[in-house]
Amino acid sequence: MNKVIEADFLPRESRFEFSSSGSIAGWGLGEKRRILIVDNDRESTHLVKILLEKTGRYLVLEENDATKGHQSARNFRPDLILLDIVMPETDGGEIAAQIQADPELQRTPVIFLTALVTKAEAKAGLHIQGHAFIAKPISIPDLIKGIEENLPAHAAF
Protein backbone atom coordinates (compact mmCIF):
# COMPACT_ATOMS: atom_id res chain seq x y z
CA MET A 1 0.00 0.00 0.00
CA ASN A 2 1.81 3.11 -1.22
CA LYS A 3 0.88 6.67 -0.35
CA VAL A 4 2.00 9.78 -2.17
CA ILE A 5 3.54 12.26 0.23
CA GLU A 6 4.05 15.93 -0.55
CA ALA A 7 6.07 18.07 1.81
CA ASP A 8 6.33 21.85 1.92
CA PHE A 9 10.11 21.69 2.14
CA LEU A 10 10.54 19.71 -1.07
CA PRO A 11 10.22 21.21 -4.52
CA ARG A 12 6.59 21.30 -5.61
CA GLU A 13 7.24 18.93 -8.51
CA SER A 14 8.70 16.31 -6.14
CA ARG A 15 6.43 13.46 -5.12
CA PHE A 16 7.66 10.54 -3.10
CA GLU A 17 5.95 7.23 -2.57
CA PHE A 18 6.42 5.58 0.79
CA SER A 19 5.96 1.84 1.14
CA SER A 20 4.23 0.41 4.20
CA SER A 21 7.70 -0.29 5.63
CA GLY A 22 8.35 3.46 5.61
CA SER A 23 11.09 3.46 2.99
CA ILE A 24 11.04 5.79 0.02
CA ALA A 25 10.26 3.94 -3.18
CA GLY A 26 11.70 4.94 -6.53
CA TRP A 27 14.26 7.45 -5.31
CA GLY A 28 17.66 6.99 -3.72
CA LEU A 29 17.15 10.00 -1.45
CA GLY A 30 19.77 8.76 0.99
CA GLU A 31 22.33 8.71 -1.82
CA LYS A 32 21.75 12.28 -2.97
CA ARG A 33 23.36 15.22 -1.26
CA ARG A 34 20.82 17.83 -0.22
CA ILE A 35 21.69 21.35 -1.37
CA LEU A 36 19.73 24.48 -0.46
CA ILE A 37 20.32 27.51 -2.68
CA VAL A 38 19.12 30.87 -1.36
CA ASP A 39 19.21 33.64 -3.95
CA ASN A 40 16.61 36.20 -5.02
CA ASP A 41 17.47 35.62 -8.71
CA ARG A 42 14.92 32.96 -9.70
CA GLU A 43 16.42 32.28 -13.12
CA SER A 44 19.89 31.67 -11.68
CA THR A 45 18.69 29.39 -8.91
CA HIS A 46 16.56 27.39 -11.28
CA LEU A 47 19.40 26.93 -13.74
CA VAL A 48 21.81 25.88 -10.96
CA LYS A 49 19.18 23.46 -9.63
CA ILE A 50 18.70 21.84 -13.04
CA LEU A 51 22.43 21.55 -13.72
CA LEU A 52 23.27 20.15 -10.27
CA GLU A 53 20.39 17.67 -10.28
CA LYS A 54 21.34 16.57 -13.80
CA THR A 55 24.57 15.12 -12.30
CA GLY A 56 22.39 12.65 -10.37
CA ARG A 57 24.29 13.42 -7.15
CA TYR A 58 22.21 16.22 -5.67
CA LEU A 59 18.69 17.09 -4.56
CA VAL A 60 18.39 20.88 -4.74
CA LEU A 61 15.82 23.15 -3.10
CA GLU A 62 15.55 26.74 -4.32
CA GLU A 63 14.57 29.52 -1.94
CA ASN A 64 14.13 32.90 -3.62
CA ASP A 65 12.83 34.78 -0.58
CA ALA A 66 15.83 35.56 1.63
CA THR A 67 13.60 36.17 4.65
CA LYS A 68 12.63 32.48 4.48
CA GLY A 69 16.20 31.19 4.02
CA HIS A 70 16.77 30.10 7.62
CA GLN A 71 13.37 28.42 7.93
CA SER A 72 13.86 26.62 4.61
CA ALA A 73 17.17 25.31 5.94
CA ARG A 74 15.49 24.10 9.15
CA ASN A 75 12.79 22.29 7.15
CA PHE A 76 14.95 20.88 4.34
CA ARG A 77 17.98 19.86 6.44
CA PRO A 78 20.53 20.41 3.66
CA ASP A 79 24.00 18.92 3.63
CA LEU A 80 25.24 22.26 2.29
CA ILE A 81 23.82 25.75 1.69
CA LEU A 82 24.61 27.99 -1.29
CA LEU A 83 23.88 31.55 -0.23
CA ASP A 84 23.89 34.77 -2.22
CA ILE A 85 25.29 37.70 -0.27
CA VAL A 86 23.46 40.67 -1.79
CA MET A 87 19.69 40.25 -1.56
CA PRO A 88 16.86 42.65 -0.71
CA GLU A 89 15.47 42.74 2.84
CA THR A 90 17.85 40.15 4.33
CA ASP A 91 21.39 39.67 3.10
CA GLY A 92 23.34 36.43 3.00
CA GLY A 93 25.53 37.47 5.95
CA GLU A 94 22.44 37.73 8.17
CA ILE A 95 21.17 34.33 7.04
CA ALA A 96 24.59 32.76 7.61
CA ALA A 97 24.62 34.22 11.15
CA GLN A 98 21.15 32.76 11.82
CA ILE A 99 22.32 29.36 10.59
CA GLN A 100 25.48 29.48 12.71
CA ALA A 101 23.41 30.41 15.78
CA ASP A 102 21.01 27.50 15.22
CA PRO A 103 22.21 24.39 17.11
CA GLU A 104 20.56 22.12 14.54
CA LEU A 105 22.21 23.82 11.54
CA GLN A 106 25.46 25.31 12.83
CA ARG A 107 27.58 22.51 11.35
CA THR A 108 25.98 22.86 7.90
CA PRO A 109 28.58 24.26 5.49
CA VAL A 110 27.71 27.51 3.74
CA ILE A 111 29.20 28.64 0.45
CA PHE A 112 28.55 32.26 -0.45
CA LEU A 113 27.75 33.08 -4.07
CA THR A 114 28.74 36.63 -4.87
CA ALA A 115 29.49 39.09 -7.62
CA LEU A 116 31.43 41.20 -5.08
CA VAL A 117 34.68 39.31 -5.66
CA THR A 118 36.72 38.31 -8.67
CA LYS A 119 37.27 34.75 -9.83
CA ALA A 120 40.96 35.14 -8.86
CA GLU A 121 39.98 36.10 -5.30
CA ALA A 122 37.62 33.14 -5.12
CA LYS A 123 40.32 30.73 -6.31
CA ALA A 124 42.82 32.14 -3.79
CA GLY A 125 41.03 30.26 -1.00
CA LEU A 126 39.88 33.35 0.86
CA HIS A 127 36.80 33.16 3.08
CA ILE A 128 33.98 35.56 3.91
CA GLN A 129 32.83 35.35 7.56
CA GLY A 130 34.70 32.04 7.72
CA HIS A 131 32.78 30.58 4.76
CA ALA A 132 34.00 29.59 1.33
CA PHE A 133 32.70 31.61 -1.59
CA ILE A 134 32.30 31.30 -5.34
CA ALA A 135 32.36 34.29 -7.67
CA LYS A 136 29.42 35.03 -9.95
CA PRO A 137 28.82 34.36 -12.74
CA ILE A 138 28.95 30.79 -11.52
CA SER A 139 30.92 28.13 -13.34
CA ILE A 140 29.14 24.80 -12.73
CA PRO A 141 32.42 22.79 -12.62
CA ASP A 142 33.80 25.26 -10.03
CA LEU A 143 30.53 25.07 -8.11
CA ILE A 144 30.58 21.27 -8.02
CA LYS A 145 34.23 21.33 -6.92
CA GLY A 146 33.36 23.80 -4.15
CA ILE A 147 30.40 21.71 -3.04
CA GLU A 148 32.46 18.51 -2.91
CA GLU A 149 35.29 20.24 -1.01
CA ASN A 150 32.88 21.58 1.61
CA LEU A 151 30.44 18.72 2.10
CA PRO A 152 30.71 16.99 5.46
CA ALA A 153 32.15 13.48 5.28
CA HIS A 154 28.88 11.85 6.41
CA ALA A 155 27.14 13.19 3.30
CA ALA A 156 29.47 11.33 0.96
CA PHE A 157 28.33 8.27 -1.01
Side-chain angles (χ1 to χ4, degrees):
M1 175 175 182
N2 289 343
K3 292 186 213 175
V4 174
I5 304 293
E6 290 188 46
D8 288 338
F9 59 87
L10 294 173
R12 294 272 181 235
E13 65 275 4
S14 296
R15 298 176 77 98
F16 298 95
E17 291 187 21
F18 286 82
S19 67
S20 57
S21 67
S23 64
I24 298 174
W27 186 301
L29 188 60
E31 297 170 7
K32 295 190 185 269
R33 294 168 174 139
R34 298 167 69 86
I35 308 293
L36 171 64
I37 181 168
V38 181
D39 191 326
N40 61 300
D41 182 344
R42 291 180 187 277
E43 290 177 13
S44 292
T45 57
H46 193 65
L47 180 60
V48 169
K49 172 187 171 68
I50 289 169
L51 293 172
L52 288 177
E53 288 186 344
K54 192 172 184 173
T55 69
R57 297 175 6 208
Y58 308 104
L59 174 64
V60 181
L61 175 66
E62 304 168 71
E63 178 55 71
N64 299 119
D65 182 344
T67 63
K68 296 179 182 176
H70 178 232
Q71 189 60 48
S72 291
R74 288 189 60 94
N75 292 342
F76 186 60
R77 302 284 181 208
D79 295 308
L80 183 135
I81 300 169
L82 300 173
L83 186 56
D84 187 22
I85 293 178
V86 179
M87 295 182 283
E89 298 180 39
T90 304
D91 71 32
E94 292 174 57
I95 298 168
Q98 293 169 357
I99 289 165
Q100 284 184 303
D102 187 326
E104 295 179 27
L105 296 172
Q106 62 189 1
R107 293 180 184 241
T108 306
V110 170
I111 298 175
F112 285 121
L113 306 175
T114 181
L116 300 176
V117 298
T118 65
K119 296 229 182 243
E121 290 170 322
K123 289 184 183 209
L126 302 174
H127 285 76
I128 299 173
Q129 294 182 350
H131 301 287
F133 62 90
I134 296 174
K136 287 183 173 181
I138 298 168
S139 153
I140 294 301
D142 287 346
L143 180 59
I144 290 171
K145 180 180 178 202
I147 288 169
E148 293 301 321
E149 288 174 350
N150 287 280
L151 274 172
H154 73 274
F157 288 98

